[in-house]
């Protein structure tokens, strides 16, 4: 019995020791995970699993380690086990990364099912909102696909090549092909060698030769994404937090990323390397890109205020080379996931990579128009073959040549990451196009106005473009129906007129313009009522007092007489044929006198006005006594005239 008790005690102590060992191993794995050392974290977590210890947290961190290392097959398998065995502990982010991993593997149906679960437990998440919108994203991606032809990049190796940027006649790119130290330093994120910057075909003296940038730029840690100003004098690039020969860690032991700026010095050597002032030891700042005018720097960061794991930001570059405060590009572009690797073309189209917007899997390349730094436009997936089931990133594009480069870890590549050249066959269609047509006419004569100018002006009062009317007085426009615009018609000698067209569904629209002359040329005997386009001056049945609705029209005549003091008028009043001729003559005279008296009360001198009633003696149509006519036909004859006497 005593021996049995001793055996039990020994077994308990042994099990306790094993448990303690497992805890220490997990703690070590967690330390590596928190320090972004995912490769050793994977090794440790796998050992713990092999020894029979498993938990939701362990599977989550193992799955995330695979995910961040772009090992989507193992990530999907791990998340699947997490969902199956610990369904009550699965988080929204677990479902999202699981769905992304499945999409990368081409299992879109299961990915969609998992995304539905993500939506069910998520509130206010932009990724869920986008997925839940009444849009067929796969159909949109298919529509945008086939616009590029991919080609090789002859300088790829079995190592990683990515982050191309235009430099002189060639490129600068990042690679771990040659550390120069026999892999003494390896990055524990993915157990790969650290990255350096290289140039190729930058000038005629080194064609087809890959050359590492000098030691002022490359260190024993990471150097990657870069951009050079158009004059070739300033280089912005990403580097680990490495200053004066020492690397700096944050309070979690992580070496963050920073953007540095270098100047080209004598002998074509990069020097005067300085870190940018909005860098921090507490968060990463990386992946610089310049606006076409080089007055704005775009970059990626997880700084406070970020919406997701990493966001796109911008900062103003002042004339004295200082910087303004960083600004987040907002929720239309940034999601709760990863947005990274920005690039801005000469036409101000922002390309970037994301796994938060709907895509084919992993990181996909997206594009949006940002003219005048408007970040609210539609974000489009550029489609295949730029995007694949893998990670696709560091897209750059020359809009004049319609050529560019992109990096990807797709299966058919030579190394871990490879650069691909491409040619654009047809441009990406961002705009909702609305066709607007119409005719411009003289408001009085109804004649078409040939050569009238039609301007399109945006809501910031900036003219976008203009056209002129043809020999038929017609025009045709194509407007961006994602934004509001003013369409303005102008013609010499006429008062301009415009109409606002708001955001629309793109259906064709007809807008006819009727322009008034800016000066009225009139002489003896002309009817001022026609020249001023007066509406009918009505009187109540069998009455001759001025009605309120007619006062507005008479006030227009008064305004003309006040503007032209020498103007004298005769007010003629006419009736239709209904009623006796004698009565109509009397009634029309009373109405003419009533109109004149109203104008006199408003300040017009009596000696400038005359009146006469004509009754039914001057009908404009055949609606005389005994002829059946409609009310509308009779109305034509019930009119007032303001005939110019002087």
């Amino acid at each position: 019995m005593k021996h049995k008790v001793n055996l039990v005690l020994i077994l308990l102590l042994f099990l306790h020791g094993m448990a303690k060992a497992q805890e220490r191993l997990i703690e070590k794995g967690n330390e590596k995970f928190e320090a972004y050392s995912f490769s050793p974290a994977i090794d440790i977590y796998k050992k713990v699993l092999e020894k029979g210890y498993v938990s939701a947290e362990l599977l989550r961190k193992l799955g995330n380690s695979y995910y961040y290392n772009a090992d989507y097959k193992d990530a999907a398998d791990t998340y699947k086990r997490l969902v199956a065995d610990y369904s009550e502990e699965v988080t929204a982010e677990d479902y999202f990364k699981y769905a992304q991993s499945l999409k990368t593997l081409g299992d879109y149906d299961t990915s969609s099912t998992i995304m539905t679960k993500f939506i069910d437990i998520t509130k206010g998440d932009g990724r869920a909102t986008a997925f839940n919108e009444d849009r067929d994203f796969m159909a949109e991606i298919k529509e945008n696909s086939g616009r590029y032809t991919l080609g090789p990049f002859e300088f790829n190796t079995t190592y990683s090549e990515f982050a191309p940027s235009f430099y002189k006649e060639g490129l600068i790119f990042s690679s771990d092909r040659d550390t120069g130290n026999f892999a003494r330093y390896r990055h524990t994120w993915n157990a790969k060698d650290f990255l350096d910057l290289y140039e190729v075909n930058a000038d005629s003296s080194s064609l087809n030769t890959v050359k590492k940038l000098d030691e002022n730029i490359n260190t024993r840690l990471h150097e990657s994404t870069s951009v050079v100003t158009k004059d070739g004098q300033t280089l912005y690039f990403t580097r680990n937090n490495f200053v004066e020969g020492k690397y700096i860690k944050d309070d979690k032991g992580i070496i963050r990323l920073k953007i540095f700026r270098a100047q080209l010095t004598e002998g074509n050597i990069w020097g005067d390397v300085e870190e940018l002032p909005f860098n921090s030891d507490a968060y990463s700042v990386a992946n610089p890109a310049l606006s076409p005018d080089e007055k704005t720097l775009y970059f990626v960061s997880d700084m406070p205020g970020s919406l997701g794991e990493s966001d796109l930001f911008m900062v103003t570059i002042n004339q004295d080379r200082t910087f303004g405060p960083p600004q987040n590009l907002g929720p239309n572009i940034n999601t709760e996931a990863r947005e990274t690797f920005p690039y801005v073309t000469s036409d101000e189209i922002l390309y970037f990579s994301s796994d938060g917007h709907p895509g084919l899997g992993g990181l996909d390349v997206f594009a949006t128009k940002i003219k005048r730094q408007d970040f609210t436009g539609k974000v489009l997936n550029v489609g295949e073959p730029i995007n694949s089931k893998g990670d696709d990133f560091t897209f750059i594009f020359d809009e004049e040549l319609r050529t560019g480069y992109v990096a990807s870890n797709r299966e058919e590549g030579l190394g871990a990451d490879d650069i691909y050249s491409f040619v654009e066959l047809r441009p990406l269609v961002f705009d909702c196009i609305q066709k607007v047509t119409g005719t411009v006419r003289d408001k009085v004569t109804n004649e078409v106005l040939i050569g009238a100018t039609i301007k399109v002006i945006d809501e910031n009062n900036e003219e976008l473009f203009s056209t002129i009317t043809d020999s038929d007085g017609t025009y045709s426009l194509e407007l961006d129906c994602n934004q509001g615009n003013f369409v303005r018609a102008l013609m010499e000698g006429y008062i301009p007129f415009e109409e606002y067209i708001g955001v629309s569904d793109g259906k064709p629209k007809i807008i006819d313009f009727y322009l008034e002359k800016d000066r009225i040329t009139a002489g003896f005997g002309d009817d001022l009522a026609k020249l001023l386009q007066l509406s009918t001056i009505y009187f109540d049945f069998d009455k001759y007092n001025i009605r309120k609705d007619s006062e507005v029209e008479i006030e227009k005549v008064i305004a003309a007489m006040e503007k032209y003091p020498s103007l004298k008028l005769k007010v003629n009043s006419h009736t239709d044929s209904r009623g006796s001729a004698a009565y109509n003559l009397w009634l029309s005279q009373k109405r003419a006198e009533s109109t004149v008296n109203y104008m006199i009360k408003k300040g017009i001198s009596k000696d400038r006005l005359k009146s006469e009633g004509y009754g039914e003696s001057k009908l404009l149509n055949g609606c005389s006594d005994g002829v059946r006519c409609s009310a509308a036909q009779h109305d034509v004859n019930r009119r007032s005239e303001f005939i110019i006497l002087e």
Side-chain angles (χ1 to χ4, degrees), residues 456-500:
V456 178
I457 300 167
D458 67 13
E459 292 177 327
N460 295 318
N461 204 33
E462 293 186 19
E463 182 180 334
L464 301 180
F465 61 93
S466 65
T467 187
I468 60 173
T469 55
D470 60 18
S471 57
D472 296 321
T474 62
Y475 69 92
S476 179
L477 304 170
E478 288 188 347
L479 304 184
D480 181 356
C481 52
N482 289 317
Q483 66 180 45
N485 293 291
F486 295 91
V487 179
R488 183 179 299 169
L490 307 95
M491 184 76 177
E492 186 176 356
Y494 288 84
I495 300 171
F497 190 82
E498 69 182 18
E499 184 164 331
Y500 176 74

Side-chain angles (χ1 to χ4, degrees), residues 10-66:
I10 291 170
L11 181 60
L12 289 173
L13 289 171
F14 175 73
L15 292 174
H16 178 72
M18 285 185 62
K20 283 292 184 182
Q22 298 293 352
E23 288 178 7
R24 287 194 295 271
L25 199 57
I26 292 170
E27 288 177 3
K28 186 176 180 181
N30 290 343
E31 288 176 3
K32 297 296 183 183
F33 181 87
E34 295 299 330
Y36 298 94
S37 296
F38 296 121
S39 185
I42 289 171
D43 293 337
I44 293 171
Y45 291 144
K46 286 173 65 177
K47 286 180 182 179
V48 174
L49 283 175
E50 288 169 1
K51 292 181 179 181
Y53 182 87
V54 64
S55 69
E57 186 65 18
L58 179 65
L59 292 174
R60 176 178 297 112
K61 289 183 175 178
L62 176 60
N64 290 349
S65 297
Y66 283 130

Side-chain angles (χ1 to χ4, degrees), residues 63 82 89 210 228 247 299 315 321 343 346 367 379 395 418 444 464 508 530-531 537 594 639:
L82 171 63
E89 300 181 54
V210 176
V228 181
Y247 57 82
F299 62 93
V315 65
R321 291 170 54 82
Y343 179 80
S346 57
V379 176
F395 178 102
D418 289 292
V444 175
L464 301 180
K530 291 182 178 179
L531 296 174
I537 297 174
S594 178
R639 66 195 187 278

Side-chain angles (χ1 to χ4, degrees), residues 265-423:
T265 59
E266 293 184 8
N268 285 329
I269 301 298
W270 291 112
D272 300 331
V273 179
E274 59 177 336
E275 68 166 281
L276 302 191
F278 48 89
N279 288 330
S280 173
D281 296 337
Y283 51 78
S284 288
V285 174
N287 306 344
L290 287 168
S291 61
D293 61 7
E294 300 186 341
K295 295 180 180 180
T296 303
L297 182 73
Y298 295 89
F299 62 93
V300 176
S301 181
D302 58 351
M303 65 174 60
S306 298
L307 304 178
E309 295 182 42
S310 61
D311 281 8
L312 300 188
F313 289 80
M314 70 176 184
V315 65
T316 300
I317 305 174
N318 301 317
Q319 287 188 344
D320 61 0
R321 291 170 54 82
T322 60
F323 298 88
Q327 301 176 54
N328 191 295
L329 298 196
N332 184 59
I333 291 175
N334 292 315
T335 70
E336 289 79 357
R338 294 179 294 177
E339 278 68 49
T340 186
F341 301 117
Y343 179 80
V344 183
T345 68
S346 57
D347 284 345
E348 292 187 87
I349 296 175
L350 169 66
Y351 290 89
F352 64 97
S353 288
S354 170
D355 62 1
H357 293 277
L360 297 175
L363 291 170
D364 272 19
V365 176
F366 295 84
T368 182
K369 295 180 74 172
I370 59 167
K371 284 199 173 181
R372 297 176 297 278
Q373 296 186 341
D374 177 8
F375 304 107
T376 61
K378 193 172 185 179
V379 176
L380 298 179
N381 186 302
V382 303
E384 296 177 308
I386 294 296
N387 289 324
S388 67
K389 293 186 293 184
D391 288 324
D392 309 291
F393 53 100
T394 58
F395 178 102
I396 63 172
F397 183 48
D398 185 320
E399 284 179 320
E400 182 177 353
L401 300 177
R402 315 311 295 179
T403 60
Y405 298 88
V406 66
S408 178
N409 66 354
R410 60 191 65 189
E411 293 179 356
E412 59 267 30
L414 180 63
D417 298 316
D418 289 292
I419 296 173
Y420 297 84
S421 62
F422 66 81
V423 176

Side-chain angles (χ1 to χ4, degrees), residues 159-172:
Y159 296 90
S160 284
E161 281 78 32
F162 71 101
S165 64
F166 295 117
Y167 178 52
K168 297 182 179 178
E169 300 301 317
L171 297 174
I172 292 177

